[in-house]
């Protein structure tokens, strides 16, 4: 199972989280976010990570030019779109960033959101389902109604996010296991404060996930 820990801001925490077992680290490239990090902060972390750990930059409602510039400057291997980007936007970004994973995050408000996800699934590599919040794009600590996910069958791999913690992640996974479900994404659920990760919680997360190891 793929485990992505998002909102990394510190080199020592990023390295420790990778060592604990994370397959992907997320870096918030949205200046208004309390977890924002610049390319100058991201690159030293990205360059010291093992090659098999994905380096994902999170963007929202910005230009393709900006994404391309930050991706290059930060040495990213993937881009996560967390705003109101259209499927056509995703296609255009693909033309500029061949070989870079494109993840489209959707804030799930109701079943209609899940229906739209199937459309995006034809234009990106991976989908990410996050909880809906009227004012915030992510990192809210709110959870999705996991029961809605029972029949979610997008045409590409997808990650579950939204208020996941070491304590509830197994219940969430149990309800989310459907077609192309590939892993989980955590941020606030393993933090002391925004961008400051609690390594004890991260270690507990992976300890709990080992209970599922025989199923993946």
């Amino acid at each position: 199972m793929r485990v992505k820990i998002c909102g990394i801001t510190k080199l020592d925490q990023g390295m420790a989280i990778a060592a604990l077992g994370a397959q992907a680290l997320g870096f918030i490239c949205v200046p208004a976010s309390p977890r924002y990090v610049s390319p100058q902060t991201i690159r030293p972390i990205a360059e010291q990570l093992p090659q098999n750990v994905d380096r994902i930059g999170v963007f929202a409602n910005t230009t393709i030019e900006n994404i391309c510039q930050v991706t290059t400057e930060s040495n990213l291997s993937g881009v996560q779109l967390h705003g109101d980007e259209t499927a056509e936007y995703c296609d255009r970004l693909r033309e500029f960033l061949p070989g870079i994973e494109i993840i489209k995050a959707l804030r799930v408000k109701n079943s209609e959101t899940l229906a739209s996800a199937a459309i995006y699934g034809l234009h990106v590599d991976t989908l990410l389902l996050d909880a809906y919040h009227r004012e915030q794009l992510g990192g809210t600590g709110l959870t999705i109604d996991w029961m809605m996910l029972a029949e979610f069958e997008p045409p590409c791999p997808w990650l579950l996010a939204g208020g996941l913690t070491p304590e509830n992640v197994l219940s969430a996974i149990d309800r989310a296991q459907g077609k192309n479900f590939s892993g989980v994404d955590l941020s606030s659920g393993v933090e002391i404060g925004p961008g400051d990760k609690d390594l004890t919680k991260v270690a507990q997360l992976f300890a709990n996930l080992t209970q599922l190891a025989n199923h993946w």
Side-chain angles (χ1 to χ4, degrees):
M1 182 190 307
R2 188 181 191 188
V3 179
K4 175 173 172 279
I5 304 298
C6 206
I8 302 297
T9 62
K10 301 177 181 180
L11 173 61
D12 59 338
Q13 292 184 357
M15 298 301 294
I17 290 169
L20 285 168
Q23 289 96 341
L25 299 186
F27 302 94
I28 307 302
C29 303
V30 181
S33 170
R35 299 176 179 86
Y36 170 74
V37 281
S38 69
Q40 291 71 32
T41 299
I42 299 171
R43 191 174 186 93
I45 304 173
E47 290 182 339
Q48 294 190 49
L49 291 173
Q51 284 295 107
N52 61 344
V53 176
D54 299 321
R55 309 169 305 279
I56 311 297
V58 180
F59 300 85
N61 302 325
T62 188
T63 65
I64 287 178
E65 180 182 15
N66 178 55
I67 292 176
C68 292
Q69 180 177 348
V70 173
T71 297
T72 300
E73 292 179 355
S74 304
N75 191 27
L76 299 175
S77 62
V79 166
Q80 179 176 314
L81 304 174
H82 218 100
D84 303 314
E85 299 84 7
T86 65
E88 290 74 20
Y89 181 100
C90 296
D91 285 339
R92 286 168 47 217
L93 183 61
R94 164 82 66 214
E95 295 176 5
F96 285 92
L97 294 176
I100 297 293
E101 179 184 13
I102 297 178
I103 303 171
K104 181 67 182 86
L106 296 165
R107 294 176 292 153
V108 179
K109 185 176 183 180
N110 49 43
S111 58
E112 292 180 1
T113 311
L114 294 179
S116 70
I119 298 173
Y120 279 102
L122 298 171
H123 300 267
V124 299
D125 299 297
T126 308
L127 293 172
L128 182 146
L129 300 186
D130 202 352
Y132 175 82
H133 188 283
R134 185 172 61 183
E135 298 176 352
Q136 298 182 49
L137 294 177
T140 65
L142 300 176
T143 59
I144 297 171
D145 179 359
W146 300 325
M147 300 306 293
M148 287 197 301
L149 304 176
E151 298 182 3
F152 183 53
E153 298 184 350
C156 69
W158 63 281
L159 302 170
L160 177 62
L164 298 182
T165 68
E167 292 75 27
N168 69 15
V169 69
L170 297 185
S171 295
I173 291 170
D174 183 60
R175 290 165 174 80
Q177 290 190 39
K179 181 180 178 182
N180 289 327
F181 172 64
S182 61
V184 292
D185 181 296
L186 289 85
S187 181
S188 62
V190 288
E191 283 185 334
I192 299 169
D196 186 10
K197 301 307 179 189
D198 186 328
L199 297 182
T200 299
K201 289 184 179 180
V202 177
Q204 186 60 55
L205 167 71
F206 284 102
N208 292 348
L209 289 175
T210 57
Q211 300 179 37
L212 295 178
N214 294 331
H215 298 283
W216 293 84

